[in-house]
Amino acid sequence: QVQLVESGGGLVQAGGSLNLSCAASGRTFSGYAMGWFRQAPGNEREFVAAISWTGVRKFYADSVKDRFTISGDNAKNTLYLQMNSLKPEETAVYYCAATGSGDITIANRYGFWGQGTQVTVSS
């Protein structure tokens, strides 16, 4: 059974940092991309960042470029998202997604999702 478990969310002041983790288990994700998405109340799920299996290719939403860094440790089957200079409007539930293919900035290109971790940025 595939499991993606996010952790690292919490409450942080504007300008602060958080490092999210996503532990994957249950199957191999070799050859597939993994990504992070977020969803605020009343909004659609939006792309944040994605990384190829090799880690060579990384993609970011324009709004997070130069502030967020996606990385992965294939040996540990863990995906990370380092978030710096957080803004109140980035308050959302952050989701990890696996087995992305094709246009990996689109949510429906992923086959597996975690339960999400809440990130709250206070002003």
Side-chain angles (χ1 to χ4, degrees), residues 101-114:
S101 62
D103 186 345
I104 56 177
T105 68
I106 299 175
N108 66 14
R109 300 300 302 180
Y110 291 83
F112 299 97
W113 292 83

Side-chain angles (χ1 to χ4, degrees), residues 3-4 21 24 27 29 31 36 38 46 50 56 59 66 73 76 84 89 97 99 104 106 108 112 116:
Q3 271 197 316
L4 300 175
S21 299
R27 60 160 282 177
F29 298 100
W36 288 97
R38 64 190 179 191
E46 66 170 350
V56 172
F59 305 87
D66 300 324
D73 185 335
K76 295 182 178 180
N84 299 326
E89 56 265 37
T99 67
I104 56 177
I106 299 175
N108 66 14
F112 299 97

Side-chain angles (χ1 to χ4, degrees), residues 16-62:
S17 299
L18 285 173
N19 189 23
L20 305 184
S21 299
C22 172
S25 63
R27 60 160 282 177
T28 178
F29 298 100
S30 176
Y32 291 102
M34 294 188 72
W36 288 97
F37 289 75
R38 64 190 179 191
Q39 187 167 19
N43 291 353
E44 293 186 354
R45 193 166 296 190
E46 66 170 350
F47 170 72
V48 176
I51 187 170
S52 63
W53 172 252
T54 62
V56 172
R57 299 170 66 205
K58 298 181 182 181
F59 305 87
Y60 296 94
D62 288 342

